[in-house]
Amino acid sequence: MKQETIARYNAFWAHEETDRPILHITVPDKAAAWEEHAPKTPGDKWENLETRYAYSRFCMANTKYYGEALPHDWVNFGPGCLAAMLGSDYIVDWNTVWFGEGKTFFKDWSNIGELRLLEDAPMCTLVTDMTRLLTKRNDGSYITGISDLGGNLDILASLRGTMTLLTDLYDHPDMVLRATESIDEAWKVYYAKLRGILKASGQRGHTTWLGPWCETSYYPLQCDFAAMISPDDFAEFVMPSLTRITEFLDHSIFHWDGPGQIVHLDHLLSLPRLDGIQWTPGDGNPPVWDEQWFPLYEKIQAAGKNLVLLDFGTAENVLKMCKALSPKGLWMSVTPETEEEAEELLTRAENK
């Protein structure tokens, strides 16, 4: 990694003044034989580690990286894969991994004490082995990330079922809180295991599915389930977990997903150890660069939190945000059409 990149990321996490935002700019080579090297079946894509490794290296080799973007593999096994390490079933398809209701002892609360990390679960083995494979074969040309472990109520929804968990909040609130504490403990144990593998390999820092690199411990926290609950329920069932995990980590970003979660912003901003927020408007809503969301961005920045924005359609949209927002603690990703456009974007952002 370049020293300039390390310095910019360290300034990002320290929330220091900078001359421009962190820009994660990638340009895949459209002429590369992507389909020829792609996995041939869903099982091959997700569970054949040699196939995964080969395709990951092909993708990195055929992508140009600009600004603070880094070649990385974040060990993707679907959103919230910790659920399958606690007893949930899982199904693979071409686009993702689905986690369903768990084993028999999650159908009621009588055996809640059995909610623990299952080290011999197939998903646990897959994630651990893929992380070790990537670190063992790393020639220093990429960063190995930490898999998407998920958030506590999202994981519990995979074990209990979403509709069942919604009624549990009212019928069995004490059991829900007890379960989230158990999930958080399993989360911390497995996160520490993965981070230990990365540190033992000599790798400096790590990434996650979200993209930003961090030299110390960090993770994007989330609770997509929260779009269906009130701010009071968020305070009761989500905030204790977020407090525990943000105090466990050195740094954290909350994945804030869709208009249904806007009502929880004040709670999120009140978390002293939460570094920032990543806003996702959700399908069918105006994109991240739409001025409708600017008041939210301004409120987040005014509270002293970092702001992470993904999936800008064009370089011009990125430059629009560079002019509208403070560069301090701002991270943005974009995939321009050409290398020339990427280089121009970087130059214009630095000279705005």
Side-chain angles (χ1 to χ4, degrees), residues 307-321:
L307 178 61
V308 174
L309 301 173
L310 310 180
D311 303 326
F312 282 85
T314 67
E316 290 300 323
N317 293 328
V318 173
L319 291 168
K320 173 183 176 181
M321 301 300 286

Side-chain angles (χ1 to χ4, degrees), residues 27 66 315 336-348:
V27 183
Y66 298 87
E337 290 291 320
T338 66
E339 294 178 36
E340 292 75 18
E341 186 181 354
E343 292 169 354
E344 181 184 4
L345 166 60
L346 198 56
T347 299
R348 291 176 64 186

Side-chain angles (χ1 to χ4, degrees), residues 86-87 103-112 114-115 118:
L86 297 171
K103 295 179 181 178
T104 303
F105 59 81
F106 295 115
K107 301 306 179 185
D108 60 48
W109 294 108
S110 61
N111 294 309
I112 190 60
E114 296 184 44
L115 183 56
L118 305 174

Side-chain angles (χ1 to χ4, degrees), residues 122-134:
M123 181 59 68
C124 199
T125 301
L126 284 170
V127 176
T128 301
D129 287 353
M130 189 65 193
T131 303
R132 285 182 171 145
L133 185 153
L134 284 163

Side-chain angles (χ1 to χ4, degrees), residues 4 18 79 96 104 112 115 139 154 166 186 197 223 234 237 255 258 266 293 331 340:
E4 180 185 355
T18 55
T96 190
T104 303
I112 190 60
L115 183 56
D139 56 3
D154 295 340
L166 283 169
I197 293 171
C223 184
F234 189 90
F237 297 105
H255 167 60
D266 288 341
W293 311 122
W331 187 102
E340 292 75 18

Side-chain angles (χ1 to χ4, degrees), residues 152-297:
N152 64 348
L153 284 188
D154 295 340
I155 292 168
L156 189 55
S158 294
L159 300 172
R160 291 283 290 163
T162 298
M163 297 308 297
T164 300
L165 182 56
L166 283 169
T167 60
D168 286 338
L169 300 185
Y170 299 95
D171 295 339
H172 307 286
D174 293 342
M175 292 294 98
V176 172
L177 289 171
R178 182 178 172 186
T180 58
E181 289 181 11
S182 297
I183 291 170
D184 286 346
E185 285 306 306
W187 192 102
K188 289 190 286 186
V189 168
Y190 196 63
Y191 176 91
K193 178 175 182 175
L194 295 179
R195 182 157 156 74
I197 293 171
L198 301 183
K199 291 177 69 176
S201 73
Q203 176 174 292
R204 185 173 185 177
H206 69 88
T207 59
T208 65
W209 68 264
L210 190 55
W213 173 87
C214 185
E215 193 156 15
T216 59
S217 66
Y218 117 88
Y219 203 77
L221 309 180
Q222 68 184 76
C223 184
D224 291 355
F225 184 85
M228 297 177 284
I229 65 177
S230 70
D232 287 345
D233 285 338
F234 189 90
E236 181 177 0
F237 297 105
V238 183
M239 287 291 285
S241 174
L242 292 179
T243 300
R244 285 191 290 268
I245 300 300
T246 56
E247 290 177 350
F248 168 76
L249 297 168
D250 293 322
H251 297 291
S252 54
I253 301 290
F254 187 83
H255 167 60
W256 196 36
D257 195 345
Q261 295 216 37
I262 291 177
V263 295
H264 305 313
L265 181 57
D266 288 341
H267 283 313
L268 293 171
L269 296 181
S270 74
L271 286 163
R273 296 271 302 170
L274 181 70
D275 289 89
I277 292 176
Q278 178 251 323
W279 170 241
T280 295
D283 292 341
N285 296 307
V288 292
W289 62 86
D290 192 275
E291 293 184 9
Q292 172 179 331
W293 311 122
F294 282 22
L296 299 179
Y297 302 155

